[in-house]
Amino acid sequence: MQYFSHPACLEHDPRQGLHGHPEQPGRLRAIEAALAERDWLGWERRETPAAREEDLLRVHPTPHVEAIRELCRAGGGAIDADTFAGERSYEAALHAAGSACAMTRSLVAGEAKTGFCAVRPPGHHAEPERAMGFCLFDNVAVAAALALAELGLERVFILDWDVHHGNGTAEIFRHRDDVLFASIHQGGIFPGTGAREDTGSGPGEGYTINLPVPAGSEEALWLSLLEDEVLPAATEFRPQLVLISAGFDAHRDDPLANCRLEASSFHRMGSVVRDAAGDWGAPIGAVLEGGYALPALAESVVATMAALGGEPCPS
Ligand SMILES: [Zn+2]
């Protein structure tokens, strides 16, 4: 089990331009304090290099990468009402994507069976040519594209359990049949995409699974969608690598959405994915997305890592 992060991820701070922004460095500090208290659950910690530009360019066209770099070089600024990049944000974003790449290399090489990337800015809302929803580059998509283009894999399964639809990842792989993308999310909130009827396009038809849930949804519904719809499809797909867009904003304490999961719910979801991935012979890597109630976020990350490592849920 390997844990990936980099101090640069603490230097991106949307509060510099957007007052009271919930996506703030304290999120990583809360996670790391909770893990330190538990001796990191026995996981090996790795400080990861920046992503190479060629890694970003597999999913984001050059003008998007250059626009973010130049905005940061010029001192930064708000990109939209939710999304900000400051002077240090390009560096942070490179290390966020770089962590996902380093984890993927490690998993594919068999150095670890499971990994967790505690990184920010998050990624799953970043579309090919557009930063949005706190996200600059799509970290999990960059990692999946690396696995397929450079590491010899043919099938990658991305499970997005953030409470918001992973519109960026969905768009990036919409036309492809070598990435199965499944998202469980609260319907009717940001970003407004992710209808059940949207199952991908062209050769990617059937390789996108969108499962919106209503406000107030609890663990039983999330778990049943995962067990009854997502995992059977993934079993048929026979993934060689599982990547989780691991947001924790479906927790009942989260201020940005209205679902009612507990930290233990993330342990249950992590455990069933771990069992399934064991059957497929595929390693699992999780990449942090949302989660804005700090104690709930920290507790949920600990629970998820315990599950991925095959340990019981910490009380
Ligand atoms: Zn979210």
Side-chain angles (χ1 to χ4, degrees), residues 1-309:
M1 296 103 67
Q2 294 177 342
Y3 172 95
F4 297 81
S5 192
H6 192 280
C9 293
L10 294 167
E11 294 183 41
H12 164 68
D13 192 348
R15 296 173 305 177
Q16 291 164 349
L18 299 169
H19 181 70
H21 202 287
E23 204 292 284
Q24 46 116 336
R27 298 177 60 230
L28 291 190
R29 293 199 183 94
I31 289 169
E32 300 209 334
L35 286 167
E37 258 178 41
R38 293 167 178 83
D39 209 12
W40 299 85
L41 302 174
W43 288 46
E44 175 193 345
R45 291 161 67 193
R46 292 208 169 179
E47 190 171 292
T48 44
R52 303 169 303 178
E53 203 164 289
E54 66 196 87
D55 293 324
L56 301 180
L57 293 176
R58 289 195 192 95
V59 302
H60 298 290
T62 304
H64 175 70
V65 176
E66 282 178 354
I68 301 294
R69 188 175 58 217
E70 291 314 311
L71 173 64
C72 297
R73 193 173 285 169
I79 296 169
D80 61 27
D82 299 322
T83 313
F84 174 86
E87 211 170 351
R88 301 289 301 152
S89 298
Y90 184 67
E91 209 49 37
L94 285 184
H95 281 92
S99 289
C101 289
M103 176 181 75
T104 296
R105 287 182 184 281
S106 188
L107 293 172
V108 172
E111 292 167 27
K113 276 190 178 164
T114 184
F116 191 96
C117 291
V119 293
R120 48 185 299 283
H124 72 151
H125 294 307
E127 295 188 343
E129 298 181 72
R130 183 179 175 202
M132 62 178 276
F134 316 166
C135 303
L136 303 178
F137 305 128
D138 191 330
N139 305 317
V140 87
V142 168
L146 167 75
L148 295 164
E150 207 173 292
L151 307 182
L153 266 53
E154 293 173 343
R155 292 176 309 280
V156 177
F157 167 43
I158 301 176
L159 168 63
D160 187 325
W161 75 36
D162 187 280
V163 80
H164 303 99
H165 178 237
N167 60 292
T169 314
E171 278 315 300
I172 288 164
F173 298 117
R174 152 175 303 283
H175 296 275
R176 293 175 61 158
D177 61 5
D178 50 2
V179 174
L180 176 67
F181 174 74
S183 177
I184 307 176
H185 48 271
Q186 184 180 331
I189 60 170
F190 184 89
T193 46
R196 201 180 240 271
E197 297 71 38
D198 180 5
T199 56
S201 304
E205 174 72 48
Y207 294 86
T208 296
I209 301 171
N210 283 314
L211 300 169
V213 301
S217 294
E218 303 195 359
E219 176 187 305
L221 177 59
W222 282 73
L223 207 54
S224 71
L225 291 172
L226 181 60
E227 291 184 302
D228 300 341
E229 300 207 39
V230 174
L231 294 181
T235 296
E236 199 169 315
F237 180 68
R238 294 182 295 120
Q240 297 162 298
L241 170 67
V242 180
L243 295 173
I244 303 177
S245 256
F248 299 93
D249 38 12
H251 192 286
R252 64 166 65 242
D253 293 347
D254 199 273
L256 296 199
N258 318 94
C259 284
R260 293 185 186 153
L261 301 193
E262 311 268 358
S264 53
S265 311
F266 292 101
H267 187 273
R268 293 205 177 87
M269 293 201 294
S271 297
V272 298
V273 175
R274 180 180 187 270
D275 288 348
D279 293 343
W280 306 327
I284 310 178
V287 182
L288 181 66
E289 301 284 1
Y292 305 98
L294 300 191
L297 169 66
E299 200 189 341
S300 300
V301 168
V302 169
T304 298
M305 287 173 57
L308 297 181

